[in-house]
Amino acid sequence: MTPGSEATAAAAAIAGEARPSARVDEGRSLRIAFAVMVAFFLLAPLAIYPIFLMKVMCFGLFACAFNLLLGYGGLLSFGHAMFLGIAGYVAAYLAKEGVALEALHIGAVTLPVGISLPPFTPELAILSGSLAAGVLGVLVGLIAIRRQGIYFAMITLALAQMVYFFCIQAPFTGGEDGIQAVPRGKLFGLIDLSNITAMYATVFVIFVSGFLLIYRIIHSPFGQVLKAIRENEPRAISLGYDADRYKLLAFVLSATLAGLAGATSAIVFQLAALNAVHWTMSGEVVLMTLVGGLGTVFGPVVGAFAVLGMENYLAQLGAWVTIVQGAIFVICVLTFRRGIVGELSRWLRKPL
Amino acid sequence: MTEAAAPEHAAPILRLRGIGRRFGGLHAVRDVDLDVAHGERRAILGPNGAGKTTLFNVISGDFPPSSGTIEFHGEEITTLAPAARARLGMGRTYQKSRLFLGLSVEDNLYLAVLGVQKGHLRPIRLRRRDGELRDRARDLARTVGLEGREKTLVGSLSHGEQRQLEVGMARAVNPTLMMLDEPASGLSRGERVALTDLLLQLDPSITLILIEHDMDVALRVAERVTMMHDGRVIVEGTPDEIRANQTVHDLYLGRGNRNDG
């Protein structure tokens, strides 16, 4: 390095133009954070109740899926619980009952179908649940993405309420009782998931795969365009991006991944119940994402841990949990708007 | 007379016939005929509210015209979407910055480059193909004088740099026709000179239409000038003819530069 170039570099550093090096670091800080997260979920069962950790992973994935839509696409869905819930119902039902469809009655018409399948293995049940959520995502997305902002949120909320009442009425959801005593079954017909270690490992693999998929989506050109649409939709359209198709695809991906979380959690907790489709669940995922850090890669996982931890450890307060939660949410929004990870990332000046 | 600068015999790159655009009861543009030849430098002048930006929006496809036809390279494009026009080689800038302020300079240019590619709706895409587009984005940053600023968030660029980036975004589509909407507005005198130089150095095969309030910039760059008033074209001619025109003087030259319109 010549003295001249050294001086230029120094001048650039003084002018605060250390950005290129920050960019080089970007991948590294994310890799370190990822390693920390993986290590945490691998080692934490030694100290923390594994069932609780599995819940954190399921809801962490749910919140990550939600964050894909809100944090990167700028779309606030206030009905995301419908995807979590419907996938849970489908997975639980298939894992418990399989399919026994003699005939399909549509009004007066009866179509002989005659499909009969034994109870699904957990991986197929989870897959089917996620697909069901994806299909629901297409239907809801096609309607909702036609509007923006508050109208988008209201449409998703309204449709989620319809799904909620459908789940109360439908014959296969067990109404108020839900679907209980869902067998965990054997993964690929081989690994018995009633073994807590096997179950934990399965959830861990699903969580990490879902997380990495979302990471990949965010950092793909698709994710880049999604951010552009969030920043300035008319300009994105005039640059040649069909914004509606991007938003729809983001919505469906988010719904499917939320479904993956819901289906997994139904198998883990052997239960699909109404609380998963209730609007308070949609509110909870907003809370998790905001507390953890909207638009950050790791925020939703941290947020899920924080919110669920709060619910768990404050459980003895009974009804006061909601009030404490509300207070924490208000404090969070007023004092550290960027969320835990968002503030941390700002403080470290590294993307997380 | 510099008739050679606008050869009437050659097929124009852009041909407008009877273009009108109304917003409710307001006729923002009415009955505009316009021919722009290949490689021409055309300035569109006019007081605020004359319909210049609306005309741009109609040409670029951001608004459909209420009446009239548009031909580009001899093809009718009247109802084509803006992105399809961009693919045909039409690049434009916007008067009010419409950049992605929360993204970096490189990402902005990258998005402009990617937008004219086919098949970009892929959530998972190989990085290999992406590298070329990134390289092109960085090249563009260099050509508009934003070298070293690639990773800077656009929101923290100076106004002048944002105007430069706008030009870069317009160039990303490899345009044969570039439309610049008040590229010099809000720039300091020094920045205006730099921008004028940038425009004068532009590849002569690229046709340029610019809306400009600053007469120094407009008359230095343009070979022909179209003067608009109340949505109509009132005069068209060379800069010298425009300078000499009494109507233009009455309407416009006495007025100060304003950034809106």
Side-chain angles (χ1 to χ4, degrees), chain A residues 17 19-20 23 213 216-217 219-222 224-225 227-232 234-242 245-246 249 253, chain B residues 62 82-83 87 92 94 98-103 107 110-112 114-115 120-125 127 130 134 149 151-152 166 169:
Chain A
E17 289 183 284
R19 278 187 176 274
R23 183 69 170 225
L213 179 64
R216 189 74 196 83
I217 294 170
H219 290 85
S220 72
F222 172 80
Q224 194 67 250
V225 175
K227 278 187 253 177
I229 292 170
R230 177 194 69 192
E231 291 284 321
N232 191 336
R235 183 70 192 255
I237 292 170
S238 69
L239 284 180
Y241 302 105
D242 187 341
R245 285 173 63 191
Y246 276 86
L249 185 52
L253 286 168
Chain B
D62 288 279
R87 265 179 221 121
R92 75 163 290 188
Y94 291 85
R98 287 177 65 187
L99 299 163
F100 305 111
L101 297 180
L103 305 182
D107 286 348
Y110 166 78
L111 284 160
L114 178 69
H120 46 61
L121 186 77
R122 287 187 202 141
I124 296 167
R125 182 190 170 106
R127 288 223 176 240
D130 219 36
R134 288 273 166 199
R149 306 287 274 160
K151 306 295 178 197
T152 311
E166 274 281 1
M169 300 277 279

Side-chain angles (χ1 to χ4, degrees), chain A residues 82-83 86 131-141 163 251 255:
Chain A
M82 66 180 137
F83 306 117
I86 210 79
L131 281 177
V135 171
L136 183 64
V138 174
L139 298 176
V140 173
V163 170
F251 196 86

Side-chain angles (χ1 to χ4, degrees), chain B residues 48 52-53 56 93-95 163 180-186 195 210-213 258-261:
Chain B
N48 294 324
K52 308 181 297 286
T53 295
F56 258 32
T93 67
Y94 291 85
Q95 179 188 162
R163 305 307 308 185
L180 308 180
D181 195 348
E182 295 199 26
S185 83
L195 183 92
L210 73 154
I211 294 177
E212 192 47 73
H213 268 291
R258 297 262 307 267
N259 293 337
D260 52 285

